[in-house]
């Protein structure tokens, strides 16, 4: 694909973000059945069908350049969105290597990586970057290794150090988050940063998830979905900027909800890193407008049922309880009560 | 994580007799190409076909993590063991094709350490060979104290001294040299992390001394891979698989489960990682708990068994596998 594949759009001010019909078709709809509750829903992060968001290790889609521009603006206004404690530099190099090797392998028209010993040259054609540097030598890059590569990669990233039978969130690049703060969470252990999640603790979800992740193996990444709701296509819904996006929840109407309400899906994956023994946690956010989503009849029926029946505590935690009735009212127009097929793949009718 | 884990096909590139007890093996990827990058302290599980018995033994990677053209392990011959080390010593020759698992690190460096203080006994030197190479390349501060029974058995002493000079300290038992542990620990700067790998008495000595001197648990790291001990033959009922199997004296319970064609999780096969923890549904007899994963209370309760190293003696044992 040529470079004209990438759209120029905004996630702020005039909100020109849209999904093309192809982007809608490949959207990672997170509900495999007509209801939702927390579970340890992890599966191997292996290559999926051609064209799907799982086709490659790190999906690059039509929003790439616009998302990277938005990230640069967030960092300009608040540099603390990217932090790395001193012992995490090696993990940053591990991440840089993983992303560069994956992208150069999976998207050879857009990315190239050339190595002569530790002398590496990285070419990112969409962003018009060519950088020669010395691997494992921080002074040869304009930013630390994690910041350097995640300024060129869609999705948020955290790096978890593993020690004392726990995972510690000791580094991250977080500008497209669903209302959580790296600056607040940095240095926390696994149960601490998950503390606000309702019900899951009592279900033992986090104990089991941590036990599983501590044994995560090299070369065997896993993935899971998470989801929430966002009014207007804003990537940066952070606690730090709540006054900018929070009040918009109070401005939805039946007339504008189809256009302004977005389902926000996070494709999260976990990768053991080779040199640092840390775990990389990419959190890739995908946005879709309700009016885009309902073009897939199966998804429309199912989202209606999930939103209608989800536990109020989850709707509160995910921040959409106040608009739940309005969402159900809008979505019910597209639910004729017919059964839906298992799995989340769309079925155009 | 289990039998489903991807294996790496390797070819034995070199076998070197280091001394009367230790042989060193170098593996390259069969068909060429690099092996996965690893971190100092990692081990791989080496798969052996010992006259029809499948053995899977963990060995620490001792080569420089920056060099992924090959992996090196050292194997100490255990004449009283189940046979894995004897197989490695007697049967494995250059050119042989084998399978290994991907590197797993249960003994990682704590990269917050301002200084890394390492204490090795005998063959316990192997993970530190990789760790020192990794720390040296990053310019990190470390100190290695290495004890062996005799100069001849102190594999790699010369190599380490040549490479790291006064950052390495050697102690030969039969020459009456011993680590002044209390003195050593009392001299360390704040932020030092302590690592120990070696025989059990040494481990206990170092860990208890450090604890008595007030070292925080989080700054003290140890690794002891137990070879699964030999014992008496016993029978086990596998409830889920609806099979009754016999565990031979020179076989571990995990190996017997695998030999019966039953999938069972594992990672370290040395009683350390917890992956093979299995519920005991019925126990009329005595479980020999040889792991250091289960708590003392769990061991006493007789409701769990680590299949990789623990055994049974008695009338009837039923496990959930």
């Amino acid at each position: 694909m040529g470079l004209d594949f990438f759209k120029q759009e905004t996630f702020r001010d005039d909100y020109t973000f849209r999904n093309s019909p192809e982007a809608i078709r490949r959207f990672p709809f997170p509900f495999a059945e007509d209801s939702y509750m927390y579970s340890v829903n992890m599966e191997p992060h292996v290559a999926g069908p051609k064209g799907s968001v799982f086709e490659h290790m790190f999906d690059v889609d039509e929003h790439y350049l616009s998302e990277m521009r938005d990230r640069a603006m967030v960092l300009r206004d608040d540099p603390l969105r990217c932090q790395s404690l001193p012992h995490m530099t090696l993990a940053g190099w591990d991440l840089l290597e993983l992303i560069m090797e994956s992208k150069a392998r999976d998207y050879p028209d857009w990315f190239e990586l050339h190595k002569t010993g530790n002398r590496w040259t990285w070419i990112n054609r969409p962003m018009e970057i060519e950088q020669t540097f010395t691997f494992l030598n921080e002074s040869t890059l304009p930013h630390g290794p994690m910041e350097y590569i995640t300024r060129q990669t869609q999705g948020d990233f955290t790096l978890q150090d593993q020690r004392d039978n726990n995972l510690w969130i000791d580094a991250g690049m977080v500008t497209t988050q669903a209302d959580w703060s790296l600056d607040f969470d940095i240095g926390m252990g696994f149960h601490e940063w998950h503390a606000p999640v309702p019900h899951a603790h009592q279900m033992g979800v986090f104990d089991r998830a941590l036990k599983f992740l501590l044994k995560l193996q090299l070369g065997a990444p896993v993935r899971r979905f998470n989801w929430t709701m966002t009014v207007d296509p804003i990537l940066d819904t952070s606690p730090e900027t709540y006054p900018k996006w929070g009040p918009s929840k109070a401005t939805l109407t039946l007339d504008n909800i189809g256009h302004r309400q977005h389902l926000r899906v996070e494709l999260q994956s976990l990768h053991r890193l080779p040199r640092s023994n840390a775990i990389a946690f990419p959190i890739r956010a995908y946005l879709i407008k309700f009016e885009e989503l309902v073009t897939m009849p199966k998804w429309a029926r199912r989202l209606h049922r999930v939103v209608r029946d989800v536990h109020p505590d989850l709707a509160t935690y995910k921040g959409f309880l106040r608009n739940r009735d309005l969402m159900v009212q809008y979505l019910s127009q597209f639910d004729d009560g017919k059964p839906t097929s298992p799995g989340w793949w769309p079925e155009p009718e | 994580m289990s039998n489903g884990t991807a294996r790496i096909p390797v070819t034995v590139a070199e076998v070197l007799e280091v001394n009367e007890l230790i042989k060193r093996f170098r593996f390259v990827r069969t068909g060429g190409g690099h092996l996965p990058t690893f971190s100092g302290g990692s081990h791989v599980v080496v798969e052996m076909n010992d006259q029809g018995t499948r053995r899977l033994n963990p060995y620490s990677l001792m080569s420089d993590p920056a060099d992924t053209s090959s992996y090196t392990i050292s194997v100490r011959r255990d004449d009283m063991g189940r046979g894995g080390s004897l197989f490695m010593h007697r049967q494995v020759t250059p050119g042989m094709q084998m399978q290994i698992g991907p590197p797993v690190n249960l003994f990682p460096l704590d990269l917050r350490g301002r200084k890394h203080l390492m204490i090795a006994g005998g063959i316990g030197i192997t993970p530190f060979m990789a760790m020192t190479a990794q720390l040296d390349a990053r310019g990190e501060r470390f100190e290695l104290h290495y004890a062996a029974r005799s100069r001849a058995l102190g594999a790699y002493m010369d190599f380490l001294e040549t490479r790291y000079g006064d950052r390495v300290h050697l102690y030969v038992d039969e020459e009456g040299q011993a680590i002044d542990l209390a003195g050593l620990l009392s001299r360390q700067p704040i932020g030092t992390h302590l690592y120990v790998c070696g025989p059990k008495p040494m481990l206990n000595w170092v860990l208890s001394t450090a604890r008595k001197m007030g070292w925080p648990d989080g700054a003290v790291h140890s690794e002891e891979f137990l070879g699964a001990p030999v014992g008496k033959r016993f029978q086990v009922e596998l409830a889920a698989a609806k099979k009754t199997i016999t565990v031979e004296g020179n076989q571990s319970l995990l190996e017997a489960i695998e030999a019966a064609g039953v999938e069972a999780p594992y990672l370290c096969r040395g009683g350390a990682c917890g992956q093979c923890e299995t519920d005991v549904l019925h126990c009329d007899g005595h479980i020999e708990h040889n792991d250091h994963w289960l708590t003392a209370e769990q061991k006493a309760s007789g409701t769990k068994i680590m299949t990789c190293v623990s055994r049974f003696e008695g009338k009837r044992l039923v496990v959930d596998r």
Side-chain angles (χ1 to χ4, degrees):
Chain A
M1 262 181 286
L3 297 178
D4 55 355
F5 169 71
F6 300 108
K7 295 161 68 180
Q8 298 292 334
E9 57 199 354
T10 56
F11 300 91
R12 54 181 71 204
D13 306 324
D14 56 349
Y15 300 122
T16 61
F17 166 87
R18 302 278 182 285
N19 283 300
S20 68
E22 172 55 23
I24 296 173
R25 203 192 55 72
R26 75 195 294 276
F27 187 81
F29 187 72
F31 305 110
E33 53 186 29
D34 288 357
S35 62
Y36 177 78
M37 193 37 168
Y38 291 120
S39 61
V40 182
N41 54 342
M42 282 183 276
E43 60 173 2
H45 187 38
V46 292
K50 197 166 164 48
S52 75
V53 299
F54 302 133
E55 182 181 1
H56 301 305
M57 185 85 86
F58 296 97
D59 182 41
V60 179
D61 70 7
E62 64 187 22
H63 309 298
Y64 176 47
L65 290 182
S66 300
E67 287 190 23
M68 292 301 96
R69 196 167 45 240
D70 196 72
R71 165 159 293 166
M73 286 189 271
V74 173
L75 289 170
R76 182 197 58 205
D77 295 342
D78 184 359
L80 292 179
R81 302 303 189 81
C82 180
Q83 298 188 46
S84 176
L85 299 183
H87 61 283
M88 298 305 282
T89 305
L90 189 61
W93 283 111
D94 278 331
L95 179 68
L96 174 141
E97 177 189 49
L98 177 68
I99 293 177
M100 286 186 177
E101 288 190 340
S102 300
K103 284 186 167 177
R105 177 192 65 226
D106 295 339
Y107 301 95
D109 293 348
W110 295 338
F111 304 97
E112 288 177 32
L113 180 62
H114 303 282
K115 298 180 185 176
T116 311
N118 274 349
R119 202 76 185 148
W120 292 16
T121 298
W122 165 247
I123 298 171
N124 176 341
R125 291 217 162 73
M127 292 184 74
E128 299 176 0
I129 291 169
E130 179 167 344
Q131 176 86 40
T132 296
F133 62 98
T134 304
F135 187 65
L136 298 177
N137 182 340
E138 290 85 65
S139 71
T140 59
L141 282 177
H143 303 284
M146 177 192 70
E147 179 170 357
Y148 179 78
I149 196 59
T150 56
R151 278 175 177 268
Q152 302 177 44
T153 306
Q154 288 167 277
D156 285 345
F157 286 81
T158 64
L159 298 177
Q160 269 87 248
D161 194 25
Q162 180 164 336
R163 54 177 196 269
D164 306 338
N165 273 321
N166 204 340
L167 295 172
W168 306 86
I169 182 168
D170 284 349
M173 165 68 89
V174 179
T175 69
T176 68
Q177 67 291 73
D179 199 9
W180 71 279
S181 164
L182 175 72
D183 192 40
F184 185 76
D185 283 3
I186 195 158
M188 286 187 183
F190 192 79
H191 288 87
E192 286 177 297
W193 86 74
H194 284 112
V197 182
H199 293 285
H201 292 272
Q202 294 85 330
M203 294 163 64
V205 166
F206 293 119
D207 293 331
R208 273 178 286 144
L210 176 61
K211 197 172 167 185
F212 177 82
L213 292 174
L214 290 173
K215 301 283 156 27
L216 184 68
Q217 283 208 59
L218 200 56
V222 296
R223 66 180 172 230
R224 69 178 288 260
F225 282 133
N226 197 7
W227 64 279
T228 188
M229 295 286 183
T230 304
V231 177
D232 297 325
I234 305 174
L235 287 172
D236 177 27
T237 50
S238 62
E240 286 89 343
T241 57
Y242 189 81
K244 289 186 184 171
W245 57 270
S248 63
K249 289 183 203 174
T251 61
L252 285 186
T253 65
L254 197 57
D255 288 334
N256 67 22
I257 190 171
H259 185 67
R260 292 187 60 198
Q261 181 64 56
H262 294 71
L263 173 64
R264 181 188 196 102
V265 175
E266 292 175 352
L267 171 55
Q268 308 177 339
S269 53
L270 293 128
H271 309 251
R272 174 71 66 194
L273 297 175
R275 292 173 189 75
S276 57
N277 202 45
I279 289 180
F281 185 45
I283 310 159
R284 173 68 180 278
Y286 292 86
L287 291 168
I288 190 168
K289 296 174 188 296
F290 271 23
E291 67 185 14
E292 294 171 340
L293 187 139
V294 299
T295 61
M296 297 293 170
K298 171 180 166 181
W299 291 353
R301 290 184 188 111
R302 179 163 292 168
L303 186 64
H304 169 242
R305 296 166 198 179
V306 168
V307 172
R308 183 190 63 201
D309 301 336
V310 75
H311 194 290
D313 292 352
L314 268 68
T316 303
Y317 174 64
K318 290 174 183 293
F320 67 89
L321 188 67
R322 73 171 290 148
N323 288 321
R324 182 199 337 223
D325 292 347
L326 194 62
M327 290 176 184
V328 171
Q329 197 183 347
Y330 171 82
L331 291 168
S332 67
Q333 306 169 69
F334 307 96
D335 185 0
D336 53 14
K338 283 188 184 160
T340 54
S341 59
W344 60 269
W345 304 97
E347 283 169 4
E349 290 176 13
Chain B
M1 204 157 289
S2 73
N3 299 5
T5 300
R7 304 238 157 255
I8 305 168
V10 293
T11 303
V12 180
E14 193 183 2
V15 180
L16 197 88
E17 195 161 336
V18 178
N19 57 39
E20 59 184 89
L21 280 181
I22 296 170
K23 274 193 177 183
R24 185 165 84 218
F25 301 84
R26 195 162 65 81
F27 301 110
V28 296
R29 191 189 276 277
T30 302
H34 283 263
L35 290 159
T37 303
F38 66 96
S39 47
S42 298
H43 72 269
V44 293
V45 167
V46 177
E47 186 169 339
M48 306 164 212
N49 181 356
D50 186 3
Q51 294 172 320
T53 299
R54 182 165 167 267
R55 301 200 185 282
L56 293 154
N57 280 17
Y59 295 106
S60 293
L61 290 172
M62 57 174 290
S63 40
D64 184 344
D67 176 10
T68 53
S69 62
S70 64
Y71 284 168
T72 305
I73 62 168
S74 282
V75 179
R76 185 185 196 278
R77 197 181 71 236
D78 181 358
D79 295 322
M80 307 304 283
R82 288 166 308 126
S85 69
L86 287 174
F87 178 85
M88 291 298 294
H89 271 254
R90 290 174 184 165
Q91 309 293 329
V92 175
T93 51
M96 202 168 140
Q97 312 267 312
M98 299 183 81
Q99 305 256 332
I100 61 173
V104 173
N105 200 340
L106 300 173
F107 188 41
L109 290 163
D110 190 321
L111 297 174
R112 295 172 307 165
R114 298 279 196 268
K115 177 183 173 184
H116 303 273
L117 176 66
M118 305 170 190
I119 298 181
I123 192 66
I125 189 64
T126 51
F128 296 125
M129 300 288 286
M131 285 176 165
T132 48
Q134 177 175 343
L135 290 169
D136 189 49
R138 293 290 288 170
E140 304 276 351
R141 188 173 170 198
F142 70 87
E143 203 175 292
L144 172 67
H145 296 259
Y146 174 21
R149 273 215 317 269
S150 68
R151 231 162 246 284
L153 289 177
Y156 313 120
M157 283 188 172
D158 293 345
F159 170 86
L160 288 164
E161 274 193 320
T162 307
R163 194 153 173 184
Y164 302 121
D166 62 4
R167 286 178 286 175
V168 180
H169 303 260
L170 307 172
Y171 306 83
V172 179
D173 293 354
E174 64 179 22
E175 295 175 18
Q177 300 166 346
I179 301 174
D180 170 20
L181 185 61
L184 181 65
L185 294 187
S186 69
R187 284 197 300 275
Q188 299 308 314
I190 285 179
T192 300
H193 278 253
L194 172 65
Y195 306 83
V196 56
C197 184
K200 196 169 191 71
M202 176 189 225
L203 228 65
N204 291 343
W205 173 55
V206 173
L207 297 181
S208 64
T209 306
R211 179 163 293 172
K212 264 185 248 155
M213 292 178 64
W215 282 61
D217 287 346
V220 180
H221 315 273
S222 63
E223 176 158 79
E224 182 200 10
F225 275 163
L226 306 156
V230 296
K232 288 184 190 151
R233 171 194 289 193
F234 62 98
Q235 285 205 328
V236 187
E237 294 170 41
L238 308 181
K242 297 191 174 64
K243 287 185 179 181
T244 299
I245 61 170
T246 300
V247 183
E248 298 295 338
N250 66 346
Q251 204 178 21
S252 71
L253 171 54
L254 177 60
E255 286 170 341
I257 292 172
E258 290 169 340
V262 176
E263 282 271 324
Y266 71 83
L267 204 55
C268 78
R269 302 181 84 92
C273 79
Q275 201 64 23
C276 70
E277 180 181 307
T278 301
D279 287 332
V280 173
L281 303 176
H282 181 88
C283 173
D284 182 3
H286 173 66
I287 298 175
E288 298 165 22
H289 290 288
N290 295 314
D291 61 282
H292 32 99
W293 171 259
L294 296 175
T295 62
E297 297 87 69
Q298 284 176 313
K299 285 179 182 175
S301 77
T303 57
K304 305 265 184 199
I305 187 167
M306 309 308 292
T307 59
C308 66
V309 291
S310 295
R311 305 186 70 84
F312 173 74
E313 200 176 334
K315 282 192 180 139
R316 184 167 176 240
L317 179 69
V318 185
V319 300
D320 185 17
R321 193 55 76 195

